[in-house]
């Protein structure tokens, strides 16, 4: 089985740069996979994608060596097991709120006797390797998202779940959850209350001996978060990157065109 | 029938800003349609799209008011007529080399007795208006691309073809054609020989009373070309915009991450 | 954010005419959106559609101004939140049986602190408006279907759920549930027992200050139901409309052809 | 190889009722196939379909016994041979204008030594029968559309082309071609000039010993045309049937709703 | 409603040969449907398919007369009811562990008053017959998979669930579950402990008066299992058949090519 | 640009084993790419695929290192240039009959000044390498199929076309063309007349200093043809491999089942 390069980077003391895919387009994924990310995560929760398009996207990324992951839509064994069968090397699961949630998550990602994952890695034996069944439990990553009040309150118990690889912070939902609608929605929080919460989650992860990941809206914020000792930083997504680049281009033309 | 806003902008003396779509993804098109372009052209020649995905992309752009056009793959009546039936408001046809080519192009775009377009505007009667059959010949735009040596030599004859609305310059092919492999491929030519060729084509168009359009790789070059009196400027495409934005983001992270 | 025209019609004292989409075809949706319905609901439960095709259908309807809604397959947070992210302006949820069901339904449709909807309106910020995050909770509609014995028995408790906008009656399942297989399956019930049940549900909705909606098989039955003070009437679906129209055409030909 | 029921009906002296498919939706095709048509033709010229969706539509129609045909987009060997390989039992080719056109058409539809069809009936050996290679030339139907001035003038020469099975009249294009824009576009012509032209084409077909087919917009007109001795009548298409049925339903509701 | 041929074969004392589909390709399904299987099951759990592709696959199989079934991904009412609405004649549900699981499974497959299946057989009324609503409960098959330790321990209680038609053994998961990772994963178990388990499940099924089915990797193992009195044998899947056939062909060429 | 392994194998004196893809399924392609073929050709002529599915198939094969080629449907610049833009490393063009055909073929495959290929390698710059524009003309392969009487008669002139890389024999069409319907259709010809023809074409290729390729139905025939000094052997396709493997499995079960 092809090794998970995220684990290799971590072993080498490197933070991981993760991209985010929300367009249902294998060619978009292939283009993104050529830009230097360590890993790319397909957003099956808020992205405009589904299983079949995700499969095509993972196929299109396969040659690049970028690690393919999926942010699934929910703590749902079906979706988690299927995207793993399709070759995902990591699962980021939203809305984990309790130790029991986290244990169920781990159980869906690992084969018996560790977990309850059903055996049938249809594509993974081709894309990851013929020995996938033996090696998958060691290579596949499993992140629990902390982004609700309840999840925040239970972060230590969640972090100590055997088999969990990391906590992943969703700042948009976390801000809504911790502060109601006090602040605008979005990533790259600068409010002290939220920075404090983010750092606390990072500390809980590290205290439990697992990794901490942060969803960011910009490279500069993500770079700053490497200073906070995060192990994996997600920077923007394809929709925002394209929209911003196109808008900038349009505005530059509008300003400078000679009419 | 909904009026063609490109014609309205021209009537108001405004240059048109055109975007370019190469991803086979309706949501990409919808996102691009929200960024301020006057028109968006689906690249059915070099884009990784086909008819069905182009249809979905035009449907997804429909609410935006952006003018949908298609750069077809060839001087092929089937593709031209079908994408018009699907609601395209303009055709950009590559590799037009002779007056006869240009006449055939016009004939495919116009209904009898002007042309030979077969009647059956299946989607257009819904997306453009129930009176599409009566009004289409006035609204739909028809551009001939000048991008070969032969086309360059015949530009005046081509420009004077009745019913043709404009000449469209493809600088990458034109550079290959006029100079062999003297220079790198690509847009935004700065070589005097090529700028001269580009300006000559613009002049031929205007001399014939039709419009001139230029395919550009950047907003700054396009803005400069408005100074050369071009009527429509294409700036970059979705693939290049996304790739460049992602690469910039990755590089910024790599430079500034605290490892 | 574009206002929800259903709310505007209700504010003006008008009943809403809703169509129903079961073909997985954006062009079908676009054609239906041009026929005069106030809203069109994609049937993700019994329709032969999925998320990606529903997305394409909403994109294709977008220019029409018809309100796009979804009848989801189940009280499932994943499907509900995803179709809202994709731009649906209303959710009709089948098989609501208890107050707790109804509360969960509302919670999936509303952002915190009202509900638990996760934040990430990927398409909605483009299709509905950039201020979607602030306005969605006011605009998006949320209907609970009453169509089981248990739901029927709990209708008052369900109707009084804070944040619920209406009760929606599914007569085919309701008839099966209340009467076993006493009667044929289907809509447009004329049995006194079922008319009585239907009117009771309408009354429970209005007593609780929310709206009442009825799924009908024909325009004449729906028109009659406006007399029963229903606020939203669904009339047939695309499959039945097409099948009936084709059959009628075939039969007319068979009867009158001169052989 | 499964026999072509159109030939059987003709042998029995029966006119054939043909439906028309313009939605890219296998389920639409399956629903249409259950309504009593003898044959259903996928409109690859003006329909919003492509090869892959046409394949799915033919698969979905396969169990019904309805004869699947295709109106191809052009006199193009690629499209004609591919849709035959995919299992079509008949080709209706638009815009045939000369004897040479007609000969090329026949040659694309028949295997050597009669024609030049390339051998590779990938799906047809499964859907039509293992002996497809031996029997196809006898079963597959080949219609030339007469719908231009030139085609009209050459109808006798066209009709006498060896191997051609019928002339198919496209009244919308024919009206444009023969009369310019004197009349509205559309089917079901009542102008004496056009009825005269239609009858002339029918006579030319029968004089040459081949069949005559007419594209109609309504069952009543088609029934009338059986009186003119047409052998195959197309009645409406799925888009028009659905649009008309939905509009009628909406209007009935609007008129009778009690507001 | 078309009768379920599996029930007819059983009534005639014949074992059923079932194929397995994991490619998301209607043409693959059509090709498989021509090879002599009694039934073909779409693997919605480990196969690389989804609902829309499964629909297309069932449409493509429809003409063959082969019984279409689905192995769903989970004990999930949504997926089970939708694939039944789409025309599946049988459900194989993985990971059934308790009597309560089995009762829920049956309830999702049967209409009230037997079960809770929601009424809306959109495609089934076309593909199976207009009287589907009345007949479906008698024709549709419902298998519970026994493949976990808990399911194994509860097999008698599960087998006696009213309305259940059979137990289906998944040897790969069962081996993992009963023996941890003692043995390799896979089908066609030869370990006495596992053969014993397999035979026990078969006996439990027959003791309860229902059918027993076994998933096999080869025809020879399946033939042997007919000697164990299994009523339905699944043999391999399309992915393995293709991969093995291609590899054999490649190896034969490599060995015998004259280089 | 990634080197073309076919050229490397030839340089090393090795014959190339080519597989053939006719299912429209990226996963099928991925599975085939793992079985040991040197190259895999997507059959865009007789295969049930189109451009978008071919793109997905090439993406799915990309990680394997197998050389992706396309047998296009016709001598059509659009299809040839598009599939090259999508990353194909070789073109096999059917029905080449004259030197002029062959010159046109080469011109579509090579950039100016050698040919007339339009510049826009949208995917190829990602899948093959950023220097694709400079290197493509050296790496991409171009085969002319000899499979008609006229092509056979002109084989020497065709073989000597500058820039052509090989002659490719299509035995099924060739047999039809040279012998009418004297023999069954199909590959693996054993008739002396046809073996003679096949060997003559091989000799013409080698005499002109280019390569010779043969389409075979079985590994044994292909191995035999390596003795005839063919440089590339195609063996079977995915459809036939799957059908044969499934049928063999079914027959083995039927023969050995204990009923
Ligand atoms: Mg979140
Ligand atoms: Mg160009
Ligand atoms: Mg219901
Ligand atoms: Mg016509
Ligand atoms: Mg299992
Ligand atoms: Mg051939």
């Amino acid at each position: 089985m092809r090794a998970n390069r995220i684990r290799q980077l971590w072993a080498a003391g490197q933070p991981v740069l993760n991209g985010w895919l929300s367009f249902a387009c294998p060619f978009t994924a292939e283009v993104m996979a050529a830009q230097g990310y360590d890993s790319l995560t397909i957003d099956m929760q808020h992205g405009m994608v589904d299983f079949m398009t995700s499969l095509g996207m993972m196929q299109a990324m396969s040659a690049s060596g970028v690690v393919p992951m999926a942010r699934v839509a929910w703590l749902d064994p079906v979706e988690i097991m299927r995207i793993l069968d399709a070759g995902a090397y990591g699962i980021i699961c939203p809305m984990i709120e309790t130790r029991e949630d986290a244990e169920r998550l781990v159980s869906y990602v690992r084969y018996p006797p560790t977990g309850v994952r059903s055996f049938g890695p249809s594509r993974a034996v081709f894309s990851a390797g013929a020995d996938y069944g033996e090696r998958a439990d060691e290579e596949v990553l499993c992140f629990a998202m902390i982004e609700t009040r309840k999840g925040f309150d239970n972060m230590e118990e969640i972090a100590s779940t055997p088999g969990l690889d990391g906590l992943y912070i969703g700042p948009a939902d976390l801000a809504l959850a911790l502060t109601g609608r006090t602040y605008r929605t979005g990533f790259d929080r600068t409010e002290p209350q939220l920075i404090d919460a983010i750092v606390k989650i990072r500390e809980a992860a590290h205290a439990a001996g697992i990794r901490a990941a942060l969803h960011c809206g910009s490279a500069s914020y993500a770079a700053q978060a490497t200073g906070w000792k995060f192990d994996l930083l997600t920077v923007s997504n394809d929709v925002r990157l394209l929209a911003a680049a196109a808008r900038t281009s349009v505005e530059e033309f509008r300003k400078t065109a000679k009419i």
Side-chain angles (χ1 to χ4, degrees), chain A:
Chain A
M1 184 183 177
R2 209 167 26 134
N4 190 331
R5 199 166 164 262
I6 293 179
R7 291 193 185 279
Q8 296 176 324
L9 285 165
W10 284 342
Q14 302 284 324
V16 169
L17 176 59
N18 179 53
W20 205 252
L21 302 175
S22 294
F23 284 126
C25 181
F27 187 36
T28 301
E30 196 169 19
V31 168
M32 287 288 282
Q35 305 313 324
Y37 294 99
D38 299 313
S39 59
L40 282 168
T41 299
I42 301 173
D43 185 358
M44 303 183 80
Q45 183 184 24
H46 295 299
M48 296 290 95
V49 303
D50 68 355
F51 175 74
M52 288 311 293
T53 50
S54 297
L55 170 60
M57 291 161 75
M58 289 200 294
Q59 290 172 320
M61 285 190 261
S62 206
S64 71
V66 170
V67 180
M69 300 208 288
R71 195 260 293 267
V72 294
W74 212 253
L75 180 50
D76 171 12
V78 173
E79 187 167 278
I80 291 171
M81 294 185 194
R82 294 195 76 210
I83 202 71
L84 289 175
D85 285 350
Y89 263 72
I91 295 294
I92 302 172
C93 184
M95 300 276 170
I96 297 297
E97 301 203 303
T98 64
R99 172 65 177 260
E100 194 215 333
D101 282 356
E103 289 175 355
R104 284 173 54 212
L105 170 59
V106 171
S107 79
Y108 300 155
V109 172
R110 310 291 177 211
Y111 287 121
T114 316
V116 302
R117 182 177 172 195
S118 175
F119 194 79
S122 301
R123 177 177 177 254
V125 291
F126 295 100
S127 60
D131 59 340
Y132 180 87
E134 287 77 53
R135 299 272 324 282
D137 281 1
E138 303 155 32
E139 295 295 345
V140 169
L141 286 162
C142 178
F143 291 93
M145 289 191 75
I146 304 295
E147 50 180 348
T148 62
R149 161 58 67 188
K150 205 167 165 190
F152 185 76
D153 292 343
N154 292 328
M155 67 172 104
E156 282 86 6
E157 287 197 353
I158 291 169
S160 62
T161 306
L164 191 70
D165 293 298
L167 301 184
Y168 188 105
I169 302 175
D173 275 322
L174 189 67
L176 267 180
L178 296 190
T179 71
R181 305 200 175 193
T182 315
Y183 308 122
R184 65 165 178 87
T185 55
F187 313 132
D188 296 358
R189 316 304 313 197
T190 53
E191 303 85 351
Q193 177 188 5
L194 288 169
I195 291 182
D196 187 57
I198 285 167
V199 171
K200 274 215 179 78
I201 298 171
R202 199 275 298 152
E203 290 169 348
H206 287 177
I210 63 171
R211 302 291 175 167
L214 182 64
H215 201 98
C216 306
S218 66
S220 57
Y221 193 92
Q224 178 185 351
T226 54
W228 299 339
K229 301 187 195 157
F230 275 94
D231 304 291
L232 181 147
L233 288 306
T234 299
V235 179
S236 199
N237 72 4
D238 48 6
V239 173
R240 289 161 187 271
L241 286 169
L242 177 62
R247 182 160 294 274
T248 300
S249 172
V250 168
E251 285 171 358
E252 187 186 345
F253 176 83
R254 296 294 187 206
K255 269 184 221 140
T256 54
K258 282 139 201 160
I259 331 184

